[in-house]
Amino acid sequence: HPFSITSSPHDGYVSVHIHAVGGWTRRLQRHLNPDGLVGDLPLHTLTYMSKVNCDGPFGSAAEGALRCEVLLLVGACIGVTPFASILKHIQALAVAKRNGMALDAEILVVRKVYFVWSCRDRMTFSWFTSIIREIEQTDHEGLFDIEIYL
């Protein structure tokens, strides 16, 4: 599937990454981004906005993940997109816990997250770097162990 929600429940916005792999998704990409900009595109940079309806959720790779003490997340190339939301969600819970707050009454039971990503090209790698950078900057407890192979 070429669509992945990459925001966490606590981001305050919804981000969707679309992998333009076929005729329909390439036309959608040209429609939403006619200037061919690369990377994360804030709404104000898009020259044409469309109404988008979302339906779901219908299940996820993350079901039950937050109930484990140790997580091993392994992804390859663009297949890593479902993990963006999981990583950001765990990060938000860890920051809230450090600050003595609870988000949606959730308790962080995760003690360690091992994230391994193998990516063959820099273009695919580039969109995920801001997420990784933010996690590394706020991970004061050593919760995350991130390994990237480019």
Side-chain angles (χ1 to χ4, degrees), residues 14-144:
V14 175
S15 65
V16 178
H17 280 78
I18 303 169
H19 189 185
V21 293
W24 190 87
T25 52
R26 284 193 182 104
R27 285 191 304 278
L28 178 64
Q29 179 185 40
R30 283 192 301 271
H31 177 74
L32 294 175
N33 183 14
D35 299 326
L37 301 174
V38 176
D40 292 339
L41 303 175
L43 290 179
H44 69 274
T45 63
L46 299 175
T47 57
Y48 181 85
M49 291 303 303
S50 296
K51 181 178 178 181
V52 177
N53 294 311
C54 296
D55 191 16
F58 300 105
S60 119
E63 285 188 46
L66 298 181
R67 293 189 296 261
C68 300
E69 288 189 17
V70 178
L71 293 179
L72 172 60
L73 306 174
V74 180
C77 297
I78 198 69
V80 76
T81 52
F83 297 135
S85 179
I86 298 169
L87 292 169
K88 290 169 67 174
H89 186 55
I90 293 170
Q91 174 207 25
L93 292 174
V95 169
K97 181 179 178 180
R98 180 182 331 124
N99 294 330
M101 302 178 331
L103 296 174
D104 301 332
E106 292 184 81
I107 299 171
L108 182 64
V109 299
V110 176
R111 302 283 176 248
K112 191 70 175 179
V113 178
Y114 296 95
F115 175 64
V116 181
W117 183 27
S118 175
C119 187
R120 64 179 154 215
D121 62 82
R122 291 192 188 279
M123 181 66 97
T124 305
F125 172 76
S126 65
W127 74 266
F128 205 66
T129 56
S130 61
I131 294 170
I132 297 296
R133 190 176 307 115
E134 184 179 338
I135 288 171
E136 289 176 337
Q137 290 172 349
T138 60
D139 184 24
H140 304 296
E141 295 82 13
L143 178 63
F144 295 91

